[in-house]
Amino acid sequence: MIRESSDVSKRAHNFCAGPAALPTAVLQRAQAEMLDWQGRGLSVMEMSHRSDDYVAIAEKAEQDLRDLLLVPSDYKVLFLQGGASQQFAEIPLNLLPEGGVADYVDTGIWSKKAIEEASRYGNINVAASAKAYDYFAIPGQNEWQLSKDAAYLHYASNETIGGLQFDWIPELGDVPLVADMSSDILSRSLDVSRYGLIYAGAQKNIGPSGLVVVIVREDLLGRARSSCPTMLNYQIAADNGSMYNTPATYSWYLSGLVFEWLKEQGGVEAMEQRNKAKKDLLYAAIDGSDFYSNPIASNARSWMNVPFRLADEKLDKAFLAGADARGLLNLKGHRSVGGMRASIYNATGLDAVEALVAYMAEFEKEHG
Ligand SMILES: *Cc1c(COP(=O)(O)O)cnc(C)c1O
């Protein structure tokens, strides 16, 4: 069992968008194993990635993730480097043939970055953009202008900065669906079989930064352009068990501890219930007051990243300082959006949201 020991008094409530909070119990387990992993007399960081011990750690992490997401057997799970942003290039290099076209949906800053990068490698059709709604709502699929022969369609299931999340899965027939799930993977139940490829930078809901998890249907392997760098070729990564070169061994191990912890917590369904309770509490606090506001259409509000504004932005500094003093950390909104943002990933519990909501009420009473 990955259990929290009692000595957690110094742990603040961390609302950081990423790198984000990790479960205290996971960090304690890593701490306990730091110098001497399971009686072997060495740290996981000091192990050969080819050793039986490490291969067992890596395989268990993959299996636990497969169990959590019910990943079908015809999908590969890859543990790669370069974060989610590297995938912005890796995806077209592997899936977009020279002269082909790919459809992209723009719902905010991350999907725009994916579009910009993919545009270096081929024809990108922006099938829909939330710009028409000031990025406060997601255009319905009936408004999308899809290409006839798209190699794939890319979208971000949750826009971490704007706080805009799909609560539906696009229907595209045979066109593979490619989703950036960096900030909402493992937060609620997911039908992997609807996707050609899912990727997620680890530092929001999985583990340490630098690692990216890619779940890819096997029939999409082996399509990389000849110019695709070896290190970015999914087929080569899959053939080598994500160990073509030395993988990010410690990040992979720590992610494995998070997966084990998630299973012990009751898995993705239990997380979904918790996350629903958390976001309901926070949005209710925002909506129940004229002092706080969130502009996102109700069916597109993110469960994981909740941006909100104070009625008077001159109070932002005082709000953040007061939050900090209470151990409510990293509530400042992204610089491009301003205001506040509370990221409430799996490792940030209901107690943290309760503490935040209590502080918000207190602050409003004092300054409202
Ligand atoms: C954080 C984030 C990224 C970028 O992740 P890196 O690992 O820093 O490259 C991409 N997409 C989404 C949706 C994100 O939240």
Side-chain angles (χ1 to χ4, degrees):
M1 275 296 275
I2 300 189
R3 237 189 255 118
E4 197 169 294
S5 81
S6 50
D7 180 27
V8 295
S9 51
K10 292 197 194 85
R11 297 281 291 164
H13 294 307
N14 183 4
F15 298 94
C16 193
L22 285 161
T24 299
V26 164
L27 296 177
Q28 287 174 326
R29 164 70 82 84
Q31 182 179 42
E33 293 180 339
M34 177 61 79
L35 298 183
D36 176 14
W37 181 82
Q38 302 198 0
R40 292 291 204 272
L42 77 175
S43 167
V44 173
M45 256 181 282
E46 305 167 302
M47 280 179 193
S48 164
H49 56 295
R50 312 278 180 207
S51 66
D52 291 347
D53 283 341
Y54 189 77
V55 169
I57 290 171
E59 285 178 352
K60 181 179 184 325
E62 176 179 340
Q63 189 56 53
D64 283 346
L65 179 59
R66 284 181 174 276
D67 294 347
L68 285 164
L69 292 176
L70 305 171
V71 177
S73 59
D74 60 332
Y75 284 72
K76 294 286 187 200
V77 176
L78 309 175
F79 290 82
L80 307 177
Q81 299 181 56
S85 300
Q86 178 120 297
Q87 295 304 309
F88 297 164
E90 197 156 333
I91 288 161
L93 283 167
N94 279 274
L95 302 183
L96 180 58
E98 308 263 4
V101 59
D103 286 342
Y104 276 67
V105 178
D106 161 31
T107 50
I109 287 170
W110 291 114
S111 37
K112 260 191 280 193
K113 285 196 165 178
I115 290 165
E116 272 167 31
E117 186 70 1
S119 299
R120 301 161 62 89
Y121 301 104
N123 300 321
I124 299 305
N125 169 48
V126 180
S129 173
K131 191 170 185 197
Y133 303 102
D134 288 333
Y135 294 98
F136 295 159
I138 294 171
Q141 202 181 317
N142 57 333
E143 298 168 52
W144 296 11
Q145 309 279 317
L146 298 169
S147 321
K148 249 213 308 269
D149 295 309
Y152 60 88
L153 178 133
H154 177 282
Y155 78 111
S157 55
N158 182 56
E159 279 285 354
T160 318
I161 293 170
L164 199 65
Q165 184 176 28
F166 278 76
D167 73 343
W168 49 282
I169 302 176
E171 294 273 2
L172 295 158
D174 290 340
V175 175
L177 202 49
V178 173
D180 178 355
M181 296 196 183
S182 294
S183 49
D184 65 352
I185 194 164
L186 293 164
S187 66
R188 56 192 196 190
S189 56
L190 170 67
D191 183 356
V192 172
S193 74
R194 300 277 298 274
Y195 295 87
L197 186 148
I198 291 166
Y199 65 103
Q203 69 273 24
K204 280 79 185 232
N205 238 348
I206 295 179
S209 59
L211 185 76
V212 56
V213 172
V214 174
I215 302 172
V216 55
R217 210 173 58 217
E218 281 169 1
D219 66 292
L220 296 175
L221 299 173
R223 299 185 182 188
R225 305 177 177 195
S226 55
S227 61
C228 178
T230 307
M231 277 293 293
L232 303 189
N233 186 313
Y234 292 135
Q235 176 83 63
I236 288 169
D239 289 348
N240 289 280
S242 304
M243 296 193 192
Y244 176 79
N245 76 329
T246 315
T249 53
Y250 197 76
S251 299
W252 192 336
Y253 152 78
L254 212 94
S255 301
L257 294 184
V258 172
F259 301 148
E260 192 175 326
W261 175 82
L262 281 171
K263 283 177 87 172
E264 289 169 3
Q265 297 295 304
V268 173
E269 272 175 36
M271 283 301 130
E272 174 162 354
Q273 281 171 23
R274 268 198 225 179
N275 289 330
K276 182 173 188 311
K278 282 154 52 185
K279 66 96 186 168
D280 281 347
L281 180 63
L282 185 47
Y283 283 115
I286 293 166
D287 293 342
S289 140
D290 294 332
F291 192 77
Y292 300 106
S293 64
N294 166 289
I296 307 297
S298 60
N299 71 342
R301 280 178 159 185
S302 171
W303 288 32
M304 292 283 101
N305 310 96
V306 182
F308 61 93
R309 288 185 170 283
L310 275 56
D312 178 359
E313 68 180 50
K314 288 199 281 298
L315 291 171
D316 284 4
K317 264 208 173 113
F319 182 90
L320 288 166
D324 229 60
R326 282 166 184 74
L328 306 169
L329 306 186
N330 295 311
L331 286 163
K332 194 173 174 30
H334 190 269
R335 57 188 188 279
S336 65
V337 178
M340 307 298 150
R341 172 177 48 166
S343 295
I344 47 176
Y345 303 116
N346 287 341
T348 299
L350 183 63
D351 57 332
V353 180
E354 285 168 348
L356 171 59
V357 166
Y359 169 60
M360 288 167 69
E362 200 182 304
F363 189 87
E364 179 178 358
K365 222 176 190 176
E366 217 172 291
H367 301 273

